[in-house]
């Protein structure tokens, strides 16, 4: 089993496997890796709309997944098929899907999405990737890296204030980071006061919590 951190170097080397199981609670990182895979699978001239499809496991059959994967790509070398809510696919349909997972089509990358890793229930033939909730130190690093992507730096007390005000959900943090970086304008460093001015009170944090977070 891989973690998303160990998957990223493989994706950067364009080592795209035919079948993945993305499991765990951190949905933002799953979407991030799917976008990377999409960029590796398709070129700029490929017909992405005709070769990229999302299927929902709670509203489909194994035959639909198999037939979609086996169908040849149109206007591209490969297809990318996402099966969300894979855990909700019935056991009978999972059994019917198993032979395909053991011998998948070379022209398709199939990604199964589940909210958790079920012991003893990992399909044979899948590369399982665990998208666990990030630890506090990892979230701090994640925030710093995304702020750097805008050509800026964020001070430690600003990180504390951002988490206190926004929480640890990566979708929410990404949105607030984008707003902060635009608000900062030509400023190179984001400070705690910027966070207090810009971010929404999604966690309904009190002023006392914020003062404690930034050490005031």
């Amino acid at each position: 089993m891989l973690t998303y951190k160990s998957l990223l170097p493989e994706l950067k080397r364009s080592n795209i496997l035919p079948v993945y199981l993305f499991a765990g609670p951190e949905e933002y990182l799953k979407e991030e890796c799917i976008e990377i895979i999409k960029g590796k699978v398709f070129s700029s001239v490929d017909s992405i709309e005709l070769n990229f499809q999302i299927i929902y496991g709670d509203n489909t059959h194994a035959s639909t997944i198999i037939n979609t994967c086996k169908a040849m790509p149109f206007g591209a070398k490969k297809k990318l098929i996402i099966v969300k809510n894979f855990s909700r696919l019935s056991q009978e349909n999972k059994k019917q899907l198993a032979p395909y997972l053991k011998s998948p089509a070379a022209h398709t990358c199939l990604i199964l999405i589940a909210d958790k890793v079920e012991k003893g229930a990992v399909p044979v033939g899948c590369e399982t990737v665990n998208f666990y909730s990030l630890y506090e130190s990892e979230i701090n690093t994640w925030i710093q890296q995304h702020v750097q992507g805008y050509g800026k730096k964020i001070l430690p007390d600003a990180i504390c204030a951002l988490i206190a005000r926004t929480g640890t959900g990566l979708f929410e943090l990404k949105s607030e980071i984008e707003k902060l970086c635009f608000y900062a304008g030509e400023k190179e460093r984001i400070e705690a006061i910027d966070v207090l001015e810009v971010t929404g009170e999604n966690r309904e944090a009190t002023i006392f919590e914020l003062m404690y977070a930034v050490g005031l």
Side-chain angles (χ1 to χ4, degrees):
M1 181 185 298
L2 300 175
T3 65
Y4 90 97
K5 282 187 175 181
S6 54
L7 174 66
L8 290 176
E10 294 296 317
L11 298 183
K12 289 179 180 178
R13 289 193 289 268
S14 296
N15 294 335
I16 308 298
L17 300 180
V19 184
Y20 292 97
L21 173 64
F22 284 6
E26 193 46 79
E27 297 298 328
Y28 179 91
L29 297 178
K30 293 177 189 176
E31 293 296 331
E32 192 173 56
C33 286
I34 288 172
E35 287 302 312
I36 294 173
I37 291 174
K38 190 186 292 187
K40 297 292 184 180
V41 168
F42 300 118
S43 69
S44 58
V45 297
D46 287 337
S47 300
I48 297 177
E49 295 81 4
L50 300 176
N51 297 286
F52 174 69
Q53 188 169 344
I54 297 175
I55 300 172
Y56 291 87
D58 48 355
N59 191 31
T60 193
H61 298 281
S63 59
T64 300
I65 300 172
I66 294 169
N67 292 337
T68 303
C69 290
K70 286 186 174 181
M72 295 299 294
F74 184 81
K77 294 182 179 179
K78 281 184 174 288
K79 298 173 63 176
L80 177 59
I81 309 299
I82 311 295
V83 178
K84 294 191 174 183
N85 302 334
F86 177 69
S87 301
R88 300 179 189 174
L89 190 69
S90 71
Q91 291 301 318
E92 180 59 31
N93 277 294
K94 287 179 180 177
K95 289 180 181 179
Q96 294 176 17
L97 183 62
Y100 173 83
L101 300 181
K102 294 177 182 178
S103 183
H107 58 258
T108 297
C109 176
L110 172 64
I111 303 178
L112 310 174
I113 308 291
D115 54 4
K116 62 181 179 179
V117 179
E118 300 180 32
K119 292 183 178 180
V122 175
V124 176
C126 290
E127 178 65 82
T128 302
V129 185
N130 185 8
F131 289 84
Y132 61 88
S133 297
L134 298 185
Y135 300 109
E136 182 178 347
S137 59
E138 293 175 310
I139 291 176
N140 291 351
T141 301
W142 186 91
I143 291 171
Q144 291 170 344
Q145 290 174 342
H146 278 70
V147 170
Q148 288 171 3
Y150 290 91
K152 300 184 184 301
K153 295 181 180 180
I154 183 168
L155 299 182
D157 60 349
I159 292 176
C160 292
L162 179 60
I163 293 174
R165 185 60 78 90
T166 305
T168 57
L170 299 189
F171 280 111
E172 292 79 8
L173 284 170
K174 179 66 167 64
S175 176
E176 296 301 328
I177 287 170
E178 182 177 355
K179 288 191 288 185
L180 275 168
C181 290
F182 280 113
Y183 174 80
E186 296 183 358
K187 283 179 57 177
E188 294 183 356
R189 299 191 307 173
I190 294 175
E191 304 174 53
I193 189 64
D194 299 318
V195 175
L196 303 185
E197 288 287 341
V198 173
T199 57
E201 296 185 38
N202 295 334
R203 290 185 62 208
E204 297 183 351
T206 68
I207 188 63
F208 301 105
E209 289 177 314
L210 298 172
M211 291 174 65
Y212 178 78
V214 302
L216 298 177

